[in-house]
Amino acid sequence: MTNPPSPQTSAPKTNNAGGDIPAYAARLNDPQKDAVLTTEGPVLMLAGAGTGKTAALTARLAHLVAMRKAWPSEILCVTFTNKAAREMRERVGGHIGPAVEGIPWLGTFHSIAAKMLRRHAELVGLQSNYTIIDTDDQLRLLKQLIRDNDVDEKRWPPRQLAGLIDSWKNRGLNPKDLDAVDNETYANGRGQEFYRLYQDRLKALNACDFGDLLLHVLNIFRTHHEVLGQYRQRFKYILVDEYQDTNQVQYLWLRLLAQERKNICVVGDDDQSIYSWRGAEVANILRFEKDFPGAKVIKLEQNYRSTPEILGAASGLIHANSQRLGKELWTELPKGDKVRVIGVWDAPEEARRVGEDIERLEREGAPLDEIAILVRAQYQTREFEDRFIQIGLNYRIIGGFRFYERAEIRDALAYLRVIAQPADDLAFERIYNQPKRGLGAKTLEKMYQYARAANMPLAAASLQLADSDELPKRAGNTIGALMRDFLRWRELETQTAPAELLRIVLDESGYSAMLEAERSTEAAGRIENLSELARAMEDYETLGDFLEHVSLVMDNDSSPDEEKVTIMTMHGAKGLEFNNVFLPGWEEGVFPSQRSLDEGGLASLEEERRLAYVAITRARRRCTILHAANRRIYGQWTSSIPSRFVEELPEEFVEKETTMSGGASLWRANWSESDDPFAHVSTNRSGTRGPGFQRALSGSYSASPAVVKEPRRSAASFAAKPRSDIALGARVFHDKFGYGTVMAQEGNKLEINFEQSGTKRVIDSFISLAD
């Protein structure tokens, strides 16, 4: 966050009743000083975006130590991230020097709770050397419990149960506290049972998950009042950052600790509460005055980040929310550009327009590092990535992978690569057991062993092994079914548009069903990404053309030292700031998100509006909002209307523009980039066509190594020649089946009567002549 300006440009100094203002408070404005110097009783520091709340909070902590209000060990200071805790410790150290090392209770909720739990672990049935398990261990444990209790893992996946248990712990609920509704959310009324089994198993392992850290300590405070009394005596002052992001268990934990002395200062902004999907409850900050009667509310409203126009637009928008405490951001910064609202025809034009504006800003001297594109959903990044690759504009994805690097996209592309190129062993290895088909490492080893011996691709080797007894019957049947699917999909490739082929593959392979079964926010996002991948493929006539495009995109790595445009989600941008911010996709259904509205109604709408407020206030100098009149979904044009948030922006702070005219609309409705034979040929930054343009003119074709087009070969064409040293009646040896006699031969497959295993069909490369 930008530091507040020097005292000469901020609000006039005021002295506290005790005399001179300490140095660490001298540069603060009046409300900030008030928050620092009001040490006794409950304080709510209502800090708007860019108002210097970190400076005020760290100065308050330094003041408590410097004025000897408490020993450093008698102050509890809670943050949400390790980064925030480190920054606070460094800033406080700059104010009070080495004394900062004596503040042991400065950290995240989880780190402080873990320290408390180590001291009292036996009170919840653990030992002090308990283990904190990670997400992978949690999922493995839940999978064991599900299998042991005869529940269909596909119908009720472990990830879904993990999400439910985490939500219950965020609400401070133990297994006995679940009501009938919670109980019904898993396995037709077995939610409570599995939650209890999971907790019992953790205790048997002397382990806990991250949700347990706070829940266990809360249980200790509730049932062992002497322990709670010890901590109430210890902590003379409590400071909490980002209070609007607390969940129920964090809220209950803090309230218990603070109820006796009531010297608690919380810092937050109800207008920036945007994390309900991970348990945060905006009600916690809204009811602070009720929880602590007589609390002093100090509003930090002077913004040091953004122009008056940006603040005016954001403030006007958030006024539409009913659940808020209310404040008015203002600034002494000079006037700037109005917030631009631009209407475009479709998503490709949106990306083109943003690219053109960024190139103009770059020519005017604006650093790319100070430009950001903030999207509501991750799938929106694909259009910008493709466009920036075409024009050679460097970019980075923050808080996630680039579109084509995401796991679900790589999986889908792997299926398509095997269809287009049966010899692509790396792609086949990625998806032969994705989604899970019960094919383990031993099956893969056997397939590789045979493929190397026969000098054939992995997929072709798998097909031959499936028609033998080399693999266990179940594995052989599974591989055989998968290879028959690939043969059918390969036939469809020449008859079906690439996007439709992808949808068929995702459906028939079970990949879509796997994601739908998870029923989680993450899975929903992955489904959206796959839908966007299908949308991207609609612009290509053949699968090979699309895979070549992806290979070129994936190969576009710029130097890490080069400046780059930042692309990230609005949620991920909280706490960051940029000179120039672009906000695309402001249409009903995209933003506000239709899924959020369907799930949460009015409460979700207000959170979506808070998210819009956060997005606008990331901008220091310029903010541009874009909305498209049309988006193509599953091959169909869908008309869109501007987001309701666009209409809620005050007119005096907004400049509206549209890039469409009536004639252009009619023309564009019947033409898209896919009609342009050179639309997807790479260009350099000067706008001239690159080498791909010459290939298009000459008709020559050159693809990256991953997608080089070779003559189509069926799996049968990879058949190995039979061995000439094996005759009927020969005695042979097989590592798995032992000794036997060759009874029949068909190509490289042998029918052998084994002495211990009976008659089996095996491939000749897996046997040796017996002595």
Side-chain angles (χ1 to χ4, degrees), residues 181-182 254 259 272 330-331 425 456 478 486 610 674 701:
V181 175
D182 288 322
L254 285 167
Q259 277 301 326
Q272 295 189 75
W330 61 276
T331 184
D425 286 359
M456 65 172 61
T478 301
F486 270 110
R610 291 193 293 269
S674 61
Y701 183 93

Side-chain angles (χ1 to χ4, degrees), residues 152-213:
D152 183 357
E153 182 183 335
K154 293 182 178 179
R155 176 70 180 86
W156 303 100
R159 195 174 296 277
Q160 180 194 359
L161 180 57
L164 289 170
I165 290 174
D166 186 57
S167 70
W168 294 330
K169 292 181 178 181
N170 285 341
R171 290 160 55 196
L173 301 177
N174 296 288
K176 64 181 178 59
D177 302 319
L178 298 191
D179 60 23
V181 175
D182 288 322
N183 191 38
E184 286 293 332
T185 54
Y186 187 77
N188 298 321
R190 300 181 67 182
Q192 186 179 54
E193 173 191 349
F194 273 96
Y195 186 8
R196 185 175 61 252
L197 289 170
Y198 174 64
Q199 293 301 99
D200 291 344
R201 182 62 176 148
L202 285 177
K203 287 184 180 180
L205 295 170
N206 191 35
C208 63
D209 59 27
F210 279 95
D212 281 324
L213 296 176

Side-chain angles (χ1 to χ4, degrees), residues 287-474:
R287 66 181 173 217
F288 183 80
E289 293 176 87
K290 182 179 179 181
D291 289 334
F292 298 95
K296 184 171 184 177
V297 179
I298 301 172
K299 297 182 180 181
L300 305 188
E301 297 172 301
Q302 182 176 1
N303 178 282
Y304 298 99
R305 175 191 299 162
S306 305
T307 64
E309 290 75 14
I310 291 171
L311 296 181
S315 296
L317 172 66
I318 202 63
H319 269 298
N321 272 8
S322 59
Q323 297 297 311
R324 61 189 300 263
L325 297 171
K327 60 186 175 306
E328 295 292 335
L329 295 183
W330 61 276
T331 184
E332 292 182 345
L333 294 174
K335 287 188 174 183
D337 297 336
K338 289 185 177 182
V339 173
R340 293 190 303 163
V341 177
I342 301 175
V344 296
W345 175 251
D346 57 12
E349 183 175 340
E350 183 179 61
R352 286 195 295 272
R353 178 60 189 266
V354 171
E356 290 168 1
D357 282 3
I358 291 175
E359 289 188 306
R360 175 181 54 78
L361 289 170
E362 188 180 23
R363 289 193 298 271
E364 293 172 358
L368 293 182
D369 287 342
E370 286 296 339
I371 300 174
I373 299 170
L374 308 182
V375 298
R376 175 61 182 88
Q378 286 191 342
Y379 73 85
Q380 291 175 262
T381 69
R382 199 276 308 170
E383 205 79 60
F384 295 98
E385 292 184 64
D386 280 1
R387 181 61 184 170
F388 292 173
I389 291 297
Q390 288 179 8
I391 65 176
L393 188 64
N394 293 332
Y395 69 91
R396 65 168 68 87
I397 300 290
I398 300 295
F401 296 103
R402 294 191 299 176
F403 183 81
Y404 292 108
E405 292 174 346
R406 292 166 186 153
E408 64 276 9
I409 301 300
R410 283 187 175 274
D411 289 344
L413 292 175
Y415 272 102
L416 297 175
R417 284 166 53 187
V418 174
I419 292 171
Q421 180 50 272
D424 193 334
D425 286 359
L426 293 176
F428 183 76
E429 182 180 346
R430 183 179 181 93
I431 49 80
Y432 82 101
N433 195 37
Q434 182 68 350
K436 301 299 182 187
R437 300 183 173 92
L439 303 173
K442 289 184 179 180
T443 301
L444 181 63
E445 181 181 356
K446 177 71 74 172
M447 291 190 298
Y448 259 124
Q449 181 183 357
Y450 178 63
R452 285 193 295 267
N455 192 28
M456 65 172 61
L458 195 58
S462 303
L463 182 61
Q464 292 203 9
L465 281 173
D467 192 30
S468 75
D469 292 319
E470 297 291 348
L471 297 175
K473 185 175 182 180
R474 181 179 176 184

Side-chain angles (χ1 to χ4, degrees), residues 22-302:
Y24 45 76
R27 297 180 66 246
L28 303 179
N29 61 36
D30 284 352
Q32 290 173 323
K33 291 191 188 86
D34 197 12
V36 171
L37 303 177
T38 304
T39 58
E40 306 307 308
V43 175
L44 169 57
M45 198 189 308
L46 196 60
T51 57
K53 60 100 175 174
T54 303
L57 185 62
T58 53
R60 179 183 174 89
L61 179 54
H63 183 67
L64 293 173
V65 176
M67 294 294 103
R68 304 195 178 186
K69 293 286 185 178
W71 291 103
S73 60
E74 295 175 323
I75 301 173
L76 171 64
C77 185
V78 188
T79 67
F80 267 85
T81 65
N82 290 315
K83 179 182 178 182
R86 287 193 301 270
E87 180 182 358
M88 188 168 294
R89 191 175 292 277
E90 290 170 2
R91 288 200 185 195
V92 174
H95 295 321
I96 63 175
V100 70
E101 299 304 324
I103 307 179
W105 298 98
L106 191 167
T108 64
F109 277 100
H110 288 102
S111 66
I112 291 171
K115 185 183 296 187
M116 291 179 173
L117 187 57
R118 294 284 180 198
R119 299 182 176 191
H120 311 286
E122 72 283 354
L123 298 180
V124 289
L126 297 173
Q127 301 173 30
S128 60
N129 63 340
Y130 64 82
T131 300
I132 304 174
I133 66 171
D134 60 19
T135 302
D136 288 341
D137 290 335
Q138 181 189 33
L139 291 175
R140 280 201 299 272
L141 176 54
L142 291 173
K143 182 179 292 188
Q144 292 173 8
L145 292 175
I146 291 169
R147 289 176 176 174
D148 291 346
N149 287 273
D150 300 322
V151 169
D152 183 357
E153 182 183 335
K154 293 182 178 179
R155 176 70 180 86
W156 303 100
R159 195 174 296 277
Q160 180 194 359
L161 180 57
L164 289 170
I165 290 174
D166 186 57
S167 70
W168 294 330
K169 292 181 178 181
N170 285 341
R171 290 160 55 196
L173 301 177
N174 296 288
K176 64 181 178 59
D177 302 319
L178 298 191
D179 60 23
V181 175
D182 288 322
N183 191 38
E184 286 293 332
T185 54
Y186 187 77
N188 298 321
R190 300 181 67 182
Q192 186 179 54
E193 173 191 349
F194 273 96
Y195 186 8
R196 185 175 61 252
L197 289 170
Y198 174 64
Q199 293 301 99
D200 291 344
R201 182 62 176 148
L202 285 177
K203 287 184 180 180
L205 295 170
N206 191 35
C208 63
D209 59 27
F210 279 95
D212 281 324
L213 296 176
L214 278 157
L215 183 60
H216 280 328
V217 175
L218 179 63
N219 289 334
I220 291 170
F221 286 172
R222 284 168 162 171
T223 56
H224 298 273
H225 300 293
E226 73 283 0
V227 176
L228 175 60
Q230 293 172 16
Y231 286 105
R232 283 178 168 177
Q233 279 295 111
R234 171 182 289 275
F235 299 132
K236 292 183 177 179
Y237 295 93
I238 298 174
L239 288 78
V240 187
D241 194 14
E242 304 286 7
Y243 191 67
Q244 79 281 348
D245 292 335
T246 53
N247 59 32
Q248 186 71 0
V249 72
Q250 292 163 342
Y251 162 78
L252 294 171
W253 181 79
L254 285 167
R255 196 175 67 173
L256 281 175
L257 285 171
Q259 277 301 326
E260 189 170 288
R261 294 182 183 271
K262 294 184 171 57
N263 285 334
I264 180 171
C265 174
V266 303
V267 184
D269 183 3
D270 54 323
D271 291 334
Q272 295 189 75
S273 181
I274 58 174
Y275 297 120
S276 66
W277 47 275
R278 64 186 190 196
E281 295 192 15
V282 68
N284 294 343
I285 193 170
L286 295 176
R287 66 181 173 217
F288 183 80
E289 293 176 87
K290 182 179 179 181
D291 289 334
F292 298 95
K296 184 171 184 177
V297 179
I298 301 172
K299 297 182 180 181
L300 305 188
E301 297 172 301
Q302 182 176 1

